Structures are given as C-alpha cells and as structure tokens.
Amino acid sequence: MVAGVVPESCILEDEPVFLVCTHAKRNACCARIGLPLARELAKFLPGRVWETSHVGGDRYAANLVCLPHGIFYGSMSQAAAIAAANAYRSGEIILGRYRGRAGIPEPLQAVEHFARAHTGECSIGAVAVESSRSDGDVTEAVVRCGDVRFQVVIEPSAFQAPCGTACAETITTYRLVSLDRLTPVRYATPALT
C-alpha cells in the first residue's frame, strides 16, 4: 500500500465507517454502554458501523471513532452518536463530545478543541495547529481557524472519572490558560524603479 499498490484482498470504501468500542476486558463500561450504542447506530447506518476493541479513553465510554479522519467522540448517547455521524457525513464535527483526532498529540488535540470552541468552527479541515512548543507542563501553539490565527496556551488539569468508582482513575485533561487572536503580518513590497 505504501508503494501505491492496493492488494486484491482490499475493498476500498468511499463512505465513512464508524467504530464503537465494545471491549470489556479493559473497562466494562465499553461493553455495557458501547454495545447497545453500536447496535442502535448500525440500525441507522447499516453496514457502516463496526464494533471494535480498545480505542483508548475507556473512561469516556461509549466511544465513537469516525473514519477516515480518525475523529474521536466520547460519552456518547444514541442520539449524540447519530448526530455526530450525520455531522461527519456532512464534513463537520460536533464540539460537545469531541475528544480529538487520531495521530495528533494529546495537548494539541486540546488546543484544537479550545480554538474550535472559541470560534465555533466545526468544519473538519478548517482548523490546524501550525506550530507548538512545550515548556514543562505548559503547551503553547499557533492555531489557524480559516483565515484567522490564534495563540493558545494550555496546561494539564485533573478530574475524577465520570463513571465514578467503577473506573477509579484520575483523568488528565487540559485547562485553557490563554487564547489570543494574532494580528496578521503585513509585508510592504518596495516599488520597482
């Protein structure tokens, strides 16, 4: 596949696929909450929903992953999952239960979320982290939302798992320290003589 050759055994898809974690060994909540969600979502989107094993973030059961972009949602109800799937099929995300995107470090997922929440930008491709740096626990990033750029600063924060003592783990999340719009740099072009 890296060489651009698709094996004969592969079936290429041009429609989104939705994964719902139903893996009980890691956390019983994934099976208890994820399995009914997967079954209901599959009724709404026949052939487009797969039950899957651990996708991370058990504490956010039920988890939904939208492919091919790798958009993660957590704590999904059936109504929220249907709304998220509809939004994704239209090229958008829903911020309320948006956990981030696969392949992006956790702090930068948080930066993207804060920028989206600030601007209301929901188009999948409209937000990008242009640069970032970390100093200890603090992460500073420049984020582009459409034609506007922001400097976003975050730091870790902890809270208890939403499902209580069943998960009994401390969750690392992020707190917004600052979010400032950057002034565009204008370059003067010298006149040709």
Side-chain angles (χ1 to χ4, degrees):
M1 289 184 75
V2 171
V5 178
V6 178
E8 288 182 31
S9 62
C10 287
I11 299 170
L12 297 178
E13 294 283 341
D14 58 358
E15 290 290 320
V17 173
F18 302 92
L19 307 178
V20 178
C21 182
T22 58
H23 186 74
K25 282 188 177 180
R26 181 108 174 159
N27 187 318
C29 293
C30 291
R32 184 174 52 79
I33 303 169
L35 189 57
L37 176 84
R39 289 180 178 159
E40 281 302 311
L41 191 58
K43 289 177 188 174
F44 178 72
L45 296 164
R48 310 303 327 152
V49 179
W50 296 5
E51 292 178 28
T52 188
S53 63
H54 183 62
V55 296
D58 319 301
R59 60 200 168 261
Y60 299 112
N63 285 291
L64 174 69
V65 183
C66 305
L67 298 176
H69 290 94
I71 303 294
F72 280 71
Y73 289 96
S75 303
M76 298 301 282
S77 66
Q78 292 172 7
I82 290 170
N86 279 334
Y88 184 70
R89 292 167 49 188
S90 298
E92 295 191 339
I93 62 164
I94 294 177
L95 286 174
R97 295 169 190 208
Y98 177 63
R99 285 185 44 211
R101 189 184 307 229
I104 299 173
E106 223 177 76
L108 300 185
Q109 291 180 52
V111 162
E112 177 192 347
H113 189 277
F114 285 122
R116 285 182 180 279
H118 178 75
T119 62
E121 181 58 66
C122 292
S123 177
I124 290 172
V127 178
V129 176
E130 292 183 343
S131 64
S132 67
R133 69 181 183 87
S134 293
D135 184 9
D137 284 343
V138 176
T139 299
E140 179 181 315
V142 173
V143 181
R144 178 189 45 77
C145 294
D147 294 333
V148 181
R149 296 169 71 231
F150 297 91
Q151 180 181 35
V152 183
V153 180
I154 62 166
E155 65 185 8
S157 177
F159 68 96
Q160 287 303 111
C163 54
T165 57
C167 294
E169 63 179 299
T170 302
I171 299 170
T172 300
T173 187
Y174 296 88
R175 181 182 79 77
L176 180 63
V177 175
S178 65
L179 190 150
D180 299 302
R181 184 177 177 147
L182 297 173
T183 305
V185 177
R186 305 223 187 269
Y187 296 97
T189 307
L192 298 173
T193 55

